[in-house]
Amino acid sequence: MSYVTRFAPSPTGPLHLGHAFSALTAFDRARAAGGRFLLRIEDIDRARCKPEWEARIFDDLGWLGLAWPRPAMRQSDRLPAYRAAVDRLAAMGLVYPCRCRRGDIRAALSAPQEGADPAIGPDGPVYPGTCRGRTMAGAGPEDALRLNMSLALQSAGMEDISFVETAPEPPGPATMSVAAMRTGIGDVVLARRDIGTSYHVAVVVDDAAQGITEVVRGADLFAATFIHVLLQRLLGLPVPGYHHHRLIRDAAGKRLAKRDDARAIARYRAEGATPADIRAMVGLQPSG
Ligand code: GLU
């Protein structure tokens, strides 16, 4: 099977050095394997994504020397595919509607009977299960849809969730027990009330649709991968390999964020940096 990877930015701000590192790492790995590098625009969150950021992403990536088949996949074109995936999980009895707002969840978690501090999963505090007894028959527009993690794990019939990790220094073991999935991840949201889907569903459906054999992305998404592998199993999708690369940090050791305009590629370009300078700044070999 020939190698296919992707870079999947969300157009919510300027690309910074961390994005450049991620995109170049994926591109270099595809080239070394004689495979393909694809681009996907992750713009399901319409409130935060802007066309001008998307245009700048294309421009910065082209300037860095990357090439990809056009048009790039765009998630806002694919909402029916995400809906179908959630419907399928719902038909399996693994999904329930949830009307809890963030504040309700915080309040439930801080109630005295909850005892110990709530676990923090890939999406924040692990959901306490307030709405778990509800059924899809009662779902309405004010509801998000959640995965019933216990039922999902049972249905997948897996001993533990694991994947092949190819990064030289992964953030942790690429395997998680079902008990840890229940307590450390819990009932994640599959469809947000506002956008009708979620990052987890969209990424899994699209990685399969694009035939991705290895996902290259930052170590910050390592824990979310266990959710993705479970969804792949439940939906009968292939499980790609994963390469969770190190994160590029600023001088104070803080992870770069999109709001850190100071690290924007555009800024370095304006100051006269070359693509080779950017490679050197993030510790990558010159392109061959
Ligand atoms: N769209 C995500 C981001 O910009 C990346 C998702 C992924 O690579 O799976 O952080």
mmCIF file of all heavy atoms in Angstrom, residues 6 8-10 19 40 42 199 203 215-217 221 258, ligand 1:
data_model
loop_
_atom_site.group_PDB
_atom_site.id
_atom_site.type_symbol
_atom_site.label_atom_id
_atom_site.label_comp_id
_atom_site.label_asym_id
_atom_site.label_seq_id
_atom_site.Cartn_x
_atom_site.Cartn_y
_atom_site.Cartn_z
ATOM 1 N N ARG A 6 -1.292 13.688 5.170
ATOM 2 C CA ARG A 6 -1.985 14.967 4.941
ATOM 3 C C ARG A 6 -1.558 15.988 5.986
ATOM 4 O O ARG A 6 -1.036 15.649 7.056
ATOM 5 C CB ARG A 6 -3.491 14.782 4.927
ATOM 6 C CG ARG A 6 -4.281 14.157 6.072
ATOM 7 C CD ARG A 6 -3.747 14.159 7.414
ATOM 8 N NE ARG A 6 -4.652 13.744 8.459
ATOM 9 C CZ ARG A 6 -4.738 14.361 9.639
ATOM 10 N NH1 ARG A 6 -3.972 15.389 9.930
ATOM 11 N NH2 ARG A 6 -5.548 13.911 10.571
ATOM 12 N N ALA A 8 -3.629 19.145 7.892
ATOM 13 C CA ALA A 8 -5.050 19.475 8.033
ATOM 14 C C ALA A 8 -5.261 20.722 8.900
ATOM 15 O O ALA A 8 -5.773 20.634 10.006
ATOM 16 C CB ALA A 8 -5.790 18.275 8.631
ATOM 17 N N PRO A 9 -4.865 21.871 8.403
ATOM 18 C CA PRO A 9 -4.984 23.085 9.221
ATOM 19 C C PRO A 9 -6.426 23.596 9.312
ATOM 20 O O PRO A 9 -7.235 23.355 8.424
ATOM 21 C CB PRO A 9 -4.128 24.104 8.463
ATOM 22 C CG PRO A 9 -4.229 23.670 7.033
ATOM 23 C CD PRO A 9 -4.306 22.163 7.072
ATOM 24 N N SER A 10 -6.711 24.291 10.394
ATOM 25 C CA SER A 10 -7.983 25.003 10.533
ATOM 26 C C SER A 10 -7.703 26.474 10.236
ATOM 27 O O SER A 10 -6.817 27.061 10.867
ATOM 28 C CB SER A 10 -8.512 24.870 11.961
ATOM 29 O OG SER A 10 -8.632 23.513 12.293
ATOM 30 N N HIS A 19 2.968 25.070 12.673
ATOM 31 C CA HIS A 19 2.283 24.538 11.490
ATOM 32 C C HIS A 19 3.284 24.206 10.395
ATOM 33 O O HIS A 19 3.141 23.202 9.697
ATOM 34 C CB HIS A 19 1.288 25.556 10.923
ATOM 35 C CG HIS A 19 0.167 25.877 11.845
ATOM 36 N ND1 HIS A 19 0.077 27.065 12.514
ATOM 37 C CD2 HIS A 19 -0.913 25.150 12.215
ATOM 38 C CE1 HIS A 19 -1.017 27.059 13.256
ATOM 39 N NE2 HIS A 19 -1.629 25.912 13.096
ATOM 40 N N ARG A 40 -5.925 19.261 3.660
ATOM 41 C CA ARG A 40 -7.354 19.280 4.004
ATOM 42 C C ARG A 40 -7.617 20.506 4.865
ATOM 43 O O ARG A 40 -6.913 20.729 5.858
ATOM 44 C CB ARG A 40 -7.696 18.005 4.781
ATOM 45 C CG ARG A 40 -9.156 17.934 5.144
ATOM 46 C CD ARG A 40 -9.527 16.539 5.609
ATOM 47 N NE ARG A 40 -9.118 16.270 6.958
ATOM 48 C CZ ARG A 40 -8.496 15.146 7.357
ATOM 49 N NH1 ARG A 40 -8.171 14.186 6.501
ATOM 50 N NH2 ARG A 40 -8.174 14.977 8.616
ATOM 51 N N GLU A 42 -9.717 22.230 7.526
ATOM 52 C CA GLU A 42 -10.645 21.821 8.589
ATOM 53 C C GLU A 42 -11.433 23.036 9.065
ATOM 54 O O GLU A 42 -11.078 23.690 10.044
ATOM 55 C CB GLU A 42 -9.875 21.135 9.718
ATOM 56 C CG GLU A 42 -9.126 19.917 9.195
ATOM 57 C CD GLU A 42 -9.021 18.762 10.160
ATOM 58 O OE1 GLU A 42 -8.818 18.988 11.358
ATOM 59 O OE2 GLU A 42 -9.130 17.602 9.701
ATOM 60 N N TYR A 199 -14.803 17.578 15.657
ATOM 61 C CA TYR A 199 -13.469 17.280 15.115
ATOM 62 C C TYR A 199 -13.264 15.768 15.000
ATOM 63 O O TYR A 199 -12.795 15.268 13.975
ATOM 64 C CB TYR A 199 -12.412 17.929 16.027
ATOM 65 C CG TYR A 199 -11.034 17.342 15.857
ATOM 66 C CD1 TYR A 199 -10.355 17.448 14.637
ATOM 67 C CD2 TYR A 199 -10.417 16.642 16.895
ATOM 68 C CE1 TYR A 199 -9.102 16.882 14.465
ATOM 69 C CE2 TYR A 199 -9.169 16.083 16.729
ATOM 70 C CZ TYR A 199 -8.510 16.199 15.519
ATOM 71 O OH TYR A 199 -7.279 15.636 15.355
ATOM 72 N N VAL A 203 -12.539 14.098 11.365
ATOM 73 C CA VAL A 203 -11.163 13.689 11.070
ATOM 74 C C VAL A 203 -11.107 12.203 10.680
ATOM 75 O O VAL A 203 -10.385 11.797 9.771
ATOM 76 C CB VAL A 203 -10.238 14.046 12.258
ATOM 77 C CG1 VAL A 203 -10.336 13.035 13.381
ATOM 78 C CG2 VAL A 203 -8.809 14.220 11.838
ATOM 79 N N VAL A 215 -1.119 9.348 9.654
ATOM 80 C CA VAL A 215 -1.490 10.695 10.090
ATOM 81 C C VAL A 215 -0.274 11.322 10.761
ATOM 82 O O VAL A 215 0.256 10.754 11.719
ATOM 83 C CB VAL A 215 -2.673 10.633 11.082
ATOM 84 C CG1 VAL A 215 -2.936 12.000 11.706
ATOM 85 C CG2 VAL A 215 -3.923 10.097 10.388
ATOM 86 N N VAL A 216 0.167 12.459 10.231
ATOM 87 C CA VAL A 216 1.275 13.193 10.841
ATOM 88 C C VAL A 216 0.676 14.439 11.486
ATOM 89 O O VAL A 216 0.027 15.242 10.812
ATOM 90 C CB VAL A 216 2.319 13.610 9.777
ATOM 91 C CG1 VAL A 216 3.416 14.471 10.403
ATOM 92 C CG2 VAL A 216 2.916 12.372 9.107
ATOM 93 N N ARG A 217 0.833 14.577 12.794
ATOM 94 C CA ARG A 217 0.295 15.756 13.488
ATOM 95 C C ARG A 217 1.002 15.893 14.825
ATOM 96 O O ARG A 217 1.781 15.027 15.229
ATOM 97 C CB ARG A 217 -1.219 15.635 13.653
ATOM 98 C CG ARG A 217 -1.666 14.478 14.497
ATOM 99 C CD ARG A 217 -3.189 14.359 14.500
ATOM 100 N NE ARG A 217 -3.628 13.181 15.231
ATOM 101 C CZ ARG A 217 -4.853 12.674 15.146
ATOM 102 N NH1 ARG A 217 -5.749 13.217 14.358
ATOM 103 N NH2 ARG A 217 -5.189 11.614 15.848
ATOM 104 N N LEU A 221 -2.262 16.113 19.979
ATOM 105 C CA LEU A 221 -3.453 15.344 19.579
ATOM 106 C C LEU A 221 -3.308 13.851 19.891
ATOM 107 O O LEU A 221 -4.163 13.052 19.518
ATOM 108 C CB LEU A 221 -3.746 15.579 18.091
ATOM 109 C CG LEU A 221 -4.254 17.006 17.823
ATOM 110 C CD1 LEU A 221 -4.276 17.321 16.338
ATOM 111 C CD2 LEU A 221 -5.641 17.200 18.425
ATOM 112 N N LYS A 258 -2.130 30.101 17.587
ATOM 113 C CA LYS A 258 -2.387 30.906 16.394
ATOM 114 C C LYS A 258 -2.362 32.397 16.703
ATOM 115 O O LYS A 258 -2.076 33.206 15.860
ATOM 116 C CB LYS A 258 -3.727 30.527 15.798
ATOM 117 C CG LYS A 258 -3.658 29.167 15.147
ATOM 118 C CD LYS A 258 -4.554 29.069 13.954
ATOM 119 C CE LYS A 258 -4.323 27.782 13.213
ATOM 120 N NZ LYS A 258 -5.380 26.814 13.399
HETATM 121 N N1 GLU B 1 -7.221 20.815 12.314
HETATM 122 C C1 GLU B 1 -6.374 20.454 13.421
HETATM 123 C C2 GLU B 1 -5.539 21.640 13.827
HETATM 124 O O1 GLU B 1 -5.398 22.596 13.073
HETATM 125 C C3 GLU B 1 -5.436 19.302 13.070
HETATM 126 C C4 GLU B 1 -6.154 18.026 13.046
HETATM 127 C C5 GLU B 1 -5.340 16.783 12.679
HETATM 128 O O2 GLU B 1 -4.242 16.875 12.110
HETATM 129 O O3 GLU B 1 -5.861 15.713 12.929
HETATM 130 O O4 GLU B 1 -5.032 21.636 14.923
#
